[in-house]
Amino acid sequence: MAEVKNLIVGCGLSGAIVARNLADDGQEVFIIDKKEHIGGNIYDYRNEHGIMVHKYGPHIFHTNNKVVWDFLTRFTEWQPYFHKVLVFMDGQFVPLPFNLNTLHCVFPKSISGKIEIKLIEKFGFNKKVPILELVKTEDKDLRFLSQYIYENIFFEYTKKQWGVAPDETDNSVLARVPVCVGCDDRYFQDKYQGVPMNGYTAMLQKMLDHKNIKVHLNTKFDGTFKYKNLFWTGSVDEFFGYKFGELPYRSIRFDFKTFCRDKFQISATVNYPTNYDFTRITEYKYFLNDKSENTTISYEYPSDFENGKNDRQYPIVNDSNTAIYAKYMELAKENPNVYFFGRLGDYKYYDMWAAAARALEVYEKFIKKQ
Ligand code: UDP
């Protein structure tokens, strides 16, 4: 195969963003993906019932980063959408993140009123407190509350999701879903939130639709590729032939079901920490307000990632895995024309906006070097 100037491995959000920026700069780009579709883990499609389904689980775009938002807005209109999640606890469906509304749902007024005042006095109204911080409080009522939340929301969900107890996960994981000392039931509070009006796949299709970009699907990276610059959004251990061992990931099996009824549940996502083997159920018609006499949902069953058997979904960030990743990064220094990024390339639990910001940063760094 003839040498290509810019080869991008992985046609997900990260790879597509770098591809488009290079193409706009007048550079030729060759982008490959081993899958049969573009989009990586944000791939979505309209199913036979007219419902936009996210093949790899619910993706809700949210960011405070205007540069990222403006960049993506070149390629899509947005359906304003504010994600609301309910958690099934103590026999009730209540708002998550746990907030003052949740507090009043789960306790009688005589208890919730007292705790509400203490929370506001200690942390301030509308403040967010990671559960692992709340469990350290000395006040007996706040300790009682934190234990209750820890046991009913975090403990078993985390065991299902990560295969280990919460104290064996990185603090940043649980901090993604803090306790909120306010009444905002939204899962995210970012300034810009939404779902691409025609889906994520269509957004990326438009991004890749450029005369300088050639996309090759069903194409694995192998030794036959010759390139001047390589942009690698796959897992870094794979690039280096697993020389220092495999980087562990968690995977999810999505079990999709369609029912002939208008709605299945009362919110787009419902979490089930203590019941069942799945972690959550998502009902897809909520995102774009799809009209259909049917409804499609997915159950999420987490498991370990097994090479060749399932997909990498979540890097397992902890000290020993970070050390393995650091060894690969040392090796990467010997390959200055290879750029690693994306959730897998950076081995970071990025949200979409963070992956996008990182891709824009990689492009800027690359351009400065030219
Ligand atoms: N989490 C939990 N119970 C919940 C929701 C979240 O224990 O009901 C913990 C769990 O460890 C999870 C992490 O918080 O992996 C982050 O949750 P988030 O909803 O951000 O996960 P994602 O949407 O990225 O899968």
Side-chain angles (χ1 to χ4, degrees):
M1 186 196 166
E3 182 178 275
V4 293
K5 188 172 175 217
N6 299 304
L7 175 63
I8 301 184
V9 175
C11 199
L13 180 63
S14 303
I17 289 176
V18 169
R20 181 60 189 228
N21 278 289
L22 288 168
D24 284 343
D25 187 52
Q27 305 202 33
E28 304 259 310
V29 184
F30 200 85
I31 181 163
I32 61 169
D33 201 295
K34 64 183 173 190
K35 289 218 164 119
E36 70 285 0
H37 60 70
I38 65 165
N41 281 354
I42 69 169
Y43 173 74
D44 58 9
Y45 61 97
R46 212 169 263 293
N47 71 7
E48 65 271 35
H49 308 288
I51 298 163
M52 188 67 83
V53 169
H54 301 179
K55 183 168 180 186
Y56 304 96
H59 283 78
I60 296 93
F61 194 83
H62 58 97
T63 189
N64 287 316
N65 184 320
K66 183 168 161 53
V67 175
V68 165
W69 178 258
D70 286 347
F71 179 78
L72 295 179
T73 301
R74 285 172 55 196
F75 309 104
T76 188
E77 303 278 341
W78 294 97
Q79 170 72 45
Y81 175 79
F82 296 93
H83 198 41
K84 291 209 175 165
V85 175
L86 297 177
V87 58
F88 186 65
M89 61 187 286
D90 259 359
Q92 295 185 69
F93 295 99
V94 294
L96 186 76
F98 193 100
N99 61 37
L100 297 180
N101 297 330
T102 321
L103 179 72
H104 293 299
C105 290
V106 295
F107 295 124
K109 183 101 190 97
S110 56
I111 297 177
S112 64
K114 186 166 71 165
I115 292 180
E116 177 179 69
I117 290 167
K118 287 194 173 182
L119 281 171
I120 295 170
E121 273 174 359
K122 178 145 180 74
F123 300 105
F125 189 73
N126 256 345
K127 289 289 177 308
K128 293 180 181 167
V129 191
I131 182 64
L132 295 178
E133 203 181 299
L134 194 63
V135 290
K136 290 186 199 145
T137 48
E138 275 162 21
D139 179 275
K140 76 171 183 3
D141 294 324
L142 295 185
R143 274 191 85 80
F144 158 76
L145 174 74
S146 66
Q147 282 308 323
Y148 177 85
I149 296 173
Y150 185 81
E151 277 160 28
N152 285 288
I153 296 181
F154 290 100
F155 188 72
E156 290 191 43
Y157 187 107
T158 299
K159 273 181 32 191
K160 284 193 251 185
Q161 175 73 11
W162 298 98
V164 295
D167 56 3
E168 287 180 63
T169 62
D170 191 75
N171 283 0
S172 61
V173 172
L174 268 55
R176 291 169 60 90
V177 189
V179 173
C180 301
V181 188
C183 300
D184 187 342
D185 282 340
R186 295 173 304 167
Y187 207 57
F188 311 109
Q189 272 84 40
D190 305 59
K191 174 163 181 175
Y192 305 104
Q193 303 194 36
V195 178
M197 195 84 91
N198 297 311
Y200 290 97
T201 308
M203 177 178 82
L204 289 200
Q205 195 80 62
K206 202 165 167 201
M207 204 181 287
L208 295 163
D209 184 16
H210 191 292
K211 66 179 178 19
N212 293 341
I213 302 176
K214 290 194 176 55
V215 179
H216 287 259
L217 299 175
N218 298 304
T219 306
K220 276 194 174 162
F221 178 82
D222 62 34
T224 64
F225 284 98
K226 297 192 175 47
Y227 50 83
K228 189 160 180 287
N229 307 302
L230 176 64
F231 297 87
W232 181 270
T233 68
S235 192
V236 67
D237 52 353
E238 196 172 320
F239 180 77
F240 289 112
Y242 304 102
K243 194 179 162 110
F244 302 124
E246 280 194 26
L247 282 167
Y249 289 87
R250 291 292 279 176
S251 186
I252 308 276
R253 179 170 65 82
F254 298 95
D255 190 8
F256 286 94
K257 292 226 158 64
T258 295
F259 298 102
C260 183
R261 56 199 267 195
D262 181 35
K263 290 273 167 58
F264 179 84
Q265 58 191 21
I266 51 171
S267 191
T269 296
V270 179
N271 289 9
Y272 291 88
T274 53
N275 292 84
Y276 310 114
D277 297 329
F278 51 82
T279 49
R280 58 188 178 190
I281 303 176
T282 295
E283 183 164 12
Y284 289 89
K285 68 190 332 188
Y286 279 100
F287 296 145
L288 292 170
N289 203 11
D290 290 325
K291 299 289 172 241
S292 170
E293 61 186 23
N294 297 297
T295 191
T296 300
I297 61 167
S298 69
Y299 298 84
E300 295 183 36
Y301 293 92
S303 67
D304 278 332
F305 162 69
E306 290 180 79
N307 217 337
K309 284 199 183 157
N310 52 22
D311 291 306
R312 296 178 173 99
Q313 300 275 349
Y314 297 85
I316 305 176
V317 180
N318 60 30
D319 289 349
S320 68
N321 296 345
T322 306
I324 302 173
Y325 179 74
K327 279 170 132 182
Y328 283 117
M329 282 300 100
E330 270 307 304
L331 214 51
K333 288 184 187 156
E334 292 166 22
N335 300 265
N337 62 330
V338 183
Y339 298 81
F340 297 96
F341 58 110
R343 208 184 238 213
L344 309 184
D346 282 336
Y347 202 63
K348 288 220 171 82
Y349 189 174
Y350 286 142
D351 285 327
M352 283 183 283
W353 77 267
R358 169 76 173 130
L360 292 174
E361 178 193 83
V362 165
Y363 168 73
E364 292 299 333
K365 272 194 188 150
F366 170 76
I367 284 298
K368 281 202 188 109
K369 261 174 59 178
Q370 304 308 296

